[in-house]
Amino acid sequence: MTSKQFVLSYATNTPMLGRELETRIQGASRHVAGLLGDSFSVTHIGDNRSGFVVWESEGTRVTWPAVVKNDNEGAAWLHIPAVAGTPDDAQDALSLARNVMSGRVDRVELGAPCAAIYWNNGQLRIVNDNLGMVRFFEYDMPDFGTVWCTRSGLAHVFAAVEPAMDDQAWAGMATLGWNATGRTHMGSGRQLPPRSKISVNSSGGVLTTQTSHDWMRSVLAGPEPSMAVAARDMSHSLSRALWWPQPAIADLSGGKDSRVTAAAAIRSGAVHRLRTMDTDSGEVMTAKQLVGLLDTAVQHSIAPVSQPASRGDDLLNRYKLLHQAWEGAYNARTAYRTSAVKTFKYAAAPKINGLGGEAMQGKSLLGGKWDERLRGADIEVGFERLEHMVRVGAGSSDEAGDKVVDEVRAFKTGAIEMKFTNAYAFMDYFYNRSKMPFWSLPLAQENYLLPYYSARMLERIIWSNKYPRKYGEMHKEILRSLVPAWSEIAFYKPSARTRSVSWMWENSDWAEARQVVEEGRSSSNHYSEKKISTYLARVDGGAGSVKEETAFSRILWERTFRDYVMRVASEAARVKREVIQAKHESYHR
């Protein structure tokens, strides 16, 4: 998933001449105008060799600064760090960036996702979070240098380099539903690995260090992280909610993750409103019981569930706008049911999300009968499980499967280096370093707060990688530190429900979608023509299912991405012509 923030850093092979830097920024600003609207600011900090640029919509409401500068020094932030404090006792954004770069503040304290960019007197520094979850990508741009950017199109337009679709990334989309190694969907970019530090000197030289394994080993060598301390840290991290002008609402269901995050939100003192979606009467009753046990006054509302809007708009135009917004990095099935994004609207209130609860307890990516096979098994059986996930990708080709299996196999090297030799540990290692950083939607949106990825919980996630706990046990332990009475109420498990949303082939745009699918099955080597033909026949015979819809939505997503790549290539070519002209003018002054 790409980012809703627009931040770019650069280090050039040779100094930019004359109006070259200004020309590149102007071209990049044309590119972002569609998503940021007519009114936005552009802040540049740096020189003709290195620096960064931040584009902000005038509608941005969060008050923690995305960019701050002072004389010949400046910093930019991707997401609000967990140690930001509140508006009443805030850290200074520039000083905090300076302290993170120097190591006086350990990066684990930033939580995740988070990154900081810092420039001072010709020196550029970049650091990211300990699990590499922030959406910040590195590109080696031919004849220009290195660009680090939140968005692929922005990077290529600024560098004036025409991109192509990344075949490996789209093989991952066809099999797993995300790209396994964080490659960008166009160009040669890759999401920064966990706990990276990038240093650029005044001559443009780039030095990168990655110390995530050192940090993980230090956690595993120490005592077991205290759940009581982790619970308090979750709550403390949610004080960031006060940086938005409108109060946060914490979702509360009868299940595990939202119960814990709601408890942490209430104890933070920043949240006084709870909401339960009316999806299941039993779940609503459980939520009401939980609220009745609180010793703090809160507002609790029951919200109706709205059905997805019927697909009456133009399908190809909708996909065009979605790619402009998310640059190919989105869940394909979700994309089919998502409304077009014309302009990013910045939220007036944060959202609290329970992503990471499964990572905190460990033993992820099981499914079906695999749990029995994995008990006591070694790393090879874990690899078999992941290979199975790749191979059963709906409608994907053997060629795509081979490419992604090779990527998954490469994760074994890192797992063995960490001495994660059993099946569960290897699969959790893959989960924490592949699926979570490269798949999850909340990581792309700056108003999502993820308390399970606060500093002490990050340490707990690493501990659970090697020492998983019984399902749901750790959630109860956290609750005992936050709202003890909630730990005594059984987690509600909803009963099976019949599908209430129409299938793709039951919608009015199916004829148009089917045409794209039929074209895509033969134009992409990531899908099996034979499988897709069989799937279409099943749908025609009234036997379509989730497998068919998943395959069709993925083909639609890949096929329609090509137009966006062509648009970016055209914009990059225009900037290249303008840069040549700017250089020509500088030579003849």
Side-chain angles (χ1 to χ4, degrees):
M1 177 64 60
T2 191
S3 175
K4 285 180 68 175
Q5 291 185 269
F6 293 73
V7 179
L8 178 148
S9 299
Y10 62 90
T12 64
N13 296 332
T14 58
M16 289 180 274
L17 303 175
R19 295 185 59 256
E20 180 182 348
L21 176 57
E22 179 185 351
T23 299
R24 293 181 185 276
I25 294 175
Q26 288 175 346
S29 297
R30 286 195 303 265
H31 173 77
V32 306
L35 283 172
L36 289 181
D38 296 330
S39 181
F40 59 89
S41 64
V42 183
T43 304
H44 169 249
I45 298 171
D47 55 26
N48 64 353
R49 204 65 195 266
S50 70
F52 63 85
V53 190
V54 178
W55 290 262
E56 288 186 279
S57 168
E58 296 297 340
T60 303
R61 295 182 179 89
V62 64
T63 52
W64 172 264
V67 59
V68 59
K69 62 179 180 178
N70 179 22
D71 297 328
N72 204 31
E73 179 186 32
W77 286 96
L78 299 179
H79 300 268
I80 301 180
V83 289
T86 70
D88 292 333
D89 63 351
Q91 293 261 13
D92 177 76
L94 185 56
S95 296
L96 180 59
R98 193 185 302 125
N99 289 335
V100 170
M101 301 302 160
S102 68
R104 285 191 290 270
V105 173
D106 193 298
R107 274 167 284 169
V108 71
E109 304 302 330
L110 303 179
C114 193
I117 303 99
Y118 176 76
W119 191 90
N120 183 25
N121 290 315
Q123 308 282 324
L124 176 68
R125 302 287 184 269
I126 300 170
V127 298
N128 69 338
D129 62 75
N130 280 26
L131 285 185
M133 296 179 73
V134 71
R135 301 298 159 87
F136 208 41
F137 309 99
E138 181 178 78
Y139 305 83
D140 182 12
M141 295 295 192
D143 303 320
F144 178 74
T146 307
V147 173
W148 300 270
C149 193
T150 54
R151 302 180 61 83
S152 292
L154 183 60
H156 285 86
V157 172
F158 178 83
V161 174
E162 297 181 37
M165 290 180 68
D166 186 284
D167 183 72
Q168 189 72 39
W170 285 99
M173 296 296 284
T175 53
L176 290 170
W178 73 89
N179 61 89
T181 56
R183 300 168 71 102
T184 53
H185 291 71
M186 64 178 176
S188 57
R190 189 184 295 270
Q191 192 165 318
L192 285 181
R195 200 174 168 88
S196 293
K197 182 174 183 179
I198 296 163
S199 302
V200 180
N201 62 30
S202 57
S203 299
V206 179
L207 174 65
T208 300
T209 57
Q210 297 163 8
T211 56
S212 64
H213 278 187
D214 293 339
W215 166 67
M216 292 168 69
R217 276 190 284 265
S218 70
V219 171
L220 294 172
E224 179 175 358
S226 163
M227 294 306 297
V229 171
R232 289 195 298 271
D233 197 52
M234 285 182 73
S235 182
H236 174 72
S237 74
L238 288 175
S239 64
R240 289 173 292 171
L242 295 173
W243 285 98
W244 279 264
Q246 294 184 13
I249 301 175
D251 286 325
L252 174 65
S253 71
K256 300 186 305 305
D257 290 335
S258 74
R259 188 183 302 189
V260 170
T261 54
I266 292 166
R267 289 296 180 242
S268 74
V271 179
H272 304 280
R273 299 169 66 191
L274 299 174
R275 177 181 62 187
T276 300
M277 304 305 294
D278 191 7
T279 57
D280 184 298
S281 59
E283 193 158 42
V284 171
M285 290 178 62
T286 302
K288 288 181 177 180
Q289 183 182 7
L290 294 171
V291 173
L293 294 171
L294 285 172
D295 57 6
T296 303
V298 298
Q299 297 179 29
H300 182 220
S301 60
I302 310 299
V305 178
S306 58
Q307 290 295 316
S310 60
R311 294 269 59 95
D313 54 352
D314 177 75
L315 181 138
L316 293 182
N317 184 60
R318 177 161 50 89
Y319 270 75
K320 172 185 174 182
L321 293 171
L322 284 170
H323 282 305
Q324 176 179 294
W326 302 118
E327 300 191 312
Y330 202 84
N331 182 292
R333 288 188 71 205
T334 304
Y336 174 72
R337 304 187 184 283
T338 299
S339 299
V341 179
K342 296 180 180 178
T343 303
F344 281 142
K345 296 180 180 179
Y346 289 90
K351 294 184 178 181
I352 298 168
N353 189 275
L355 185 72
E358 69 289 353
M360 177 266 301
Q361 70 179 8
K363 297 178 71 172
S364 302
L365 299 175
L366 298 180
K369 300 177 180 178
W370 279 93
D371 190 22
E372 184 176 342
R373 287 189 58 187
L374 291 163
R375 291 174 191 164
D378 63 15
I379 193 171
E380 291 302 326
V381 180
F383 175 74
E384 288 177 22
R385 164 59 181 156
L386 296 180
E387 181 176 15
H388 176 75
M389 285 178 56
V390 173
R391 297 292 186 190
V392 298
S396 59
S397 66
D398 291 341
E399 181 179 351
D402 291 343
K403 291 177 180 178
V404 178
V405 167
D406 285 343
E407 286 189 309
V408 175
R409 185 176 290 110
F411 280 86
K412 288 170 60 177
T413 302
I416 292 170
E417 181 184 331
M418 284 301 304
K419 296 183 171 55
F420 294 154
T421 55
N422 68 71
Y424 289 137
F426 170 57
M427 289 168 57
D428 282 342
Y429 179 83
F430 178 79
Y431 185 84
N432 289 328
R433 297 176 76 96
S434 176
K435 186 172 184 179
M436 281 299 94
F438 311 139
W439 171 79
S440 300
L441 175 63
L443 306 184
Q445 309 201 58
E446 79 294 337
N447 66 311
Y448 274 74
L449 302 179
L450 308 176
Y452 278 116
Y453 288 107
S454 58
R456 306 287 79 80
M457 274 299 178
L458 282 172
E459 294 167 352
R460 181 67 237 188
I461 285 172
I462 298 309
W463 186 268
S464 294
N465 204 136
K466 194 168 184 178
Y467 307 106
R469 295 270 290 274
K470 185 178 178 181
Y471 188 75
E473 182 180 88
M474 295 177 65
H475 292 77
K476 289 185 177 182
E477 192 169 342
I478 298 171
L479 288 169
R480 284 193 283 271
S481 295
L482 296 172
V483 183
W486 282 14
S487 67
E488 303 302 319
I489 306 301
F491 296 122
Y492 182 76
K493 294 183 179 180
S495 57
R497 297 169 56 222
T498 58
R499 183 183 175 95
S500 58
V501 178
S502 60
W503 294 107
M504 177 187 291
W505 44 87
E506 295 174 339
N507 294 327
S508 59
D509 58 14
W510 170 238
E512 187 178 12
R514 180 177 184 138
Q515 182 178 349
V516 177
V517 169
E518 289 178 335
E519 293 171 354
R521 64 180 170 179
S522 58
S523 63
S524 171
N525 62 4
H526 302 137
Y527 296 92
S528 162
E529 286 193 65
K530 182 178 179 180
K531 288 180 183 178
I532 301 305
S533 296
T534 300
Y535 291 177
L536 288 168
R538 286 181 191 165
V539 167
D540 292 341
S545 66
V546 171
K547 178 179 286 189
E548 284 75 29
E549 185 172 80
T550 299
F552 298 162
S553 60
R554 288 178 179 177
I555 292 174
L556 268 169
W557 192 238
E558 178 179 335
R559 177 73 175 174
T560 54
F561 186 66
R562 298 177 187 180
D563 288 341
Y564 179 68
V565 177
M566 291 174 62
R567 175 198 153 183
V568 173
S570 176
E571 293 181 48
R574 176 181 173 182
V575 172
K576 185 175 183 178
R577 293 192 297 269
E578 293 170 344
V579 166
I580 291 172
Q581 179 63 31
K583 288 182 176 181
H584 178 77
E585 292 172 358
S586 69
Y587 288 142
H588 291 84
R589 283 180 179 171

